[in-house]
Amino acid sequence: MQYTDITSRALTYLLRSPHLHIDMTEAIYRGLAEICYAQPDGVLLRLRAPWNGRPFLYECSAATPERSAALLEQLEPNVPLVAHQEYTATQYQALHPCVTQRCLQGQWPSFTPPARDPEVEIWPLDLGDLPVVLEHYDLIQDEEELSYLICTGQLYGACVDDQLAGFAGTHVEGTLGLLTVLPEYRRRGLGLALERYVIRQEVRRGHIPFCQMFDDNDISLHLQQKAGMELHPQPIWWLLPHT
């Protein structure tokens, strides 16, 4: 990434609350974000899909409701938003029909990767595994997006008896996720092994591994804590417009 004046302004604001803004700072550090606005009262980022160049996500943090309202005016229609203050979520809901998902964030707390589980065989997926991913992962059904994640080495699979038993990786915006264990292979520790494997890969790439979970998903929250992730109490809001 290149440090410019606007980059410095954005990071100065975001690093006042680094745990709350881990998704935004990582988007900047990884070169994923366009900085639409950065001043002492807020930051607005736009992320584009690498496979077609279209905006697929905004990330917003605003110090005041007034700045929040002004930043919402800059959003393109039908593009999801991650809001880092509740008043931003409320303002967005008043403007757009949407699905709202309240989440907690967590991050890996050190520069040392977790230990590898030698009992579980894990390897990068290839496009031959795409039909299995499409069949078992409901939150993304865009073949272009999943193909991009596979082709860029961001999706990994666990193997049992030469069969794909589960997978996990990172979303386009950098969040750990897509963790899925096929029903017949559950309760064998594969989910934890996959999570730690992805964390290891992210640390080796120089990234801070971070995750986002629905705040009422006790199973996911427990898994992240068991994997060693440090969870943060401040929520964020995913706002998914109806199209």
Side-chain angles (χ1 to χ4, degrees):
M1 61 167 285
Q2 290 185 331
Y3 279 91
T4 61
D5 288 344
I6 194 170
T7 305
S8 297
R9 291 198 304 271
L11 292 174
T12 296
Y13 172 90
L14 296 171
L15 290 173
R16 294 176 195 163
S17 301
H19 292 162
L20 175 63
H21 297 125
I22 182 64
D23 56 330
M24 297 181 73
T25 54
E26 281 298 297
I28 293 173
Y29 290 142
R30 301 182 193 197
L32 301 173
E34 301 173 19
I35 303 173
C36 303
Y37 180 90
Q39 294 294 341
D41 61 354
V43 173
L44 177 66
L45 306 181
R46 177 172 55 218
L47 282 64
R48 294 184 181 274
W51 56 91
N52 61 21
R54 297 172 186 165
F56 75 92
L57 184 66
Y58 283 99
E59 298 177 339
C60 178
S61 180
T64 67
E66 293 75 21
R67 175 48 56 195
S68 172
L71 292 178
L72 291 182
E73 294 179 359
Q74 298 188 33
L75 306 188
E76 298 177 48
N78 300 322
V79 178
L81 169 70
V82 179
H84 290 70
Q85 287 78 30
E86 187 170 11
Y87 47 73
T88 303
T90 301
Q91 291 169 342
Y92 187 92
Q93 290 165 339
L95 294 170
H96 308 283
C98 64
V99 175
T100 302
Q101 298 170 335
R102 177 173 151 141
C103 298
L104 296 179
Q105 297 195 101
Q107 69 183 66
W108 186 248
S110 77
F111 296 106
T112 302
R116 175 182 170 272
D117 186 340
E119 301 298 320
V120 181
E121 182 182 355
I122 299 175
W123 76 99
L125 296 187
D126 60 40
L127 288 177
D129 300 307
L130 180 59
V132 178
V133 177
L134 283 166
E135 179 182 354
H136 292 279
Y137 190 72
D138 295 333
L139 294 182
I140 301 175
Q141 286 295 296
D142 184 333
E143 289 194 30
E144 271 194 297
E145 181 174 351
L146 292 172
S147 296
Y148 172 82
L149 294 176
I150 291 172
C151 291
T152 54
Q154 297 182 71
L155 265 181
Y156 310 93
C159 177
V160 174
D161 297 329
D162 295 324
Q163 298 295 318
L164 181 60
F167 52 87
T170 54
H171 291 279
V172 179
E173 68 273 12
T175 317
L176 300 183
L178 299 107
L179 180 59
T180 302
V181 177
L182 277 60
E184 60 268 36
Y185 298 105
R186 290 173 185 168
R187 301 188 183 278
R188 301 190 188 187
L190 298 183
L192 183 60
L194 280 162
E195 181 74 8
R196 287 177 171 164
Y197 184 90
V198 179
I199 292 171
R200 283 177 60 83
Q201 297 303 107
E202 287 291 279
V203 172
R204 287 176 170 176
R205 290 171 173 167
H207 299 159
I208 298 176
F210 72 98
C211 59
Q212 297 174 342
M213 303 80 54
F214 299 145
D215 64 353
D216 60 353
N217 188 337
D218 293 336
I219 294 175
S220 181
L221 292 168
H222 176 71
L223 176 67
Q224 297 298 340
Q225 289 177 309
K226 192 173 181 180
M229 298 291 275
E230 181 181 274
L231 304 186
H232 307 311
Q234 293 172 280
I236 61 171
W237 290 263
W238 272 78
L239 300 141
L240 309 171
H242 293 302
T243 55

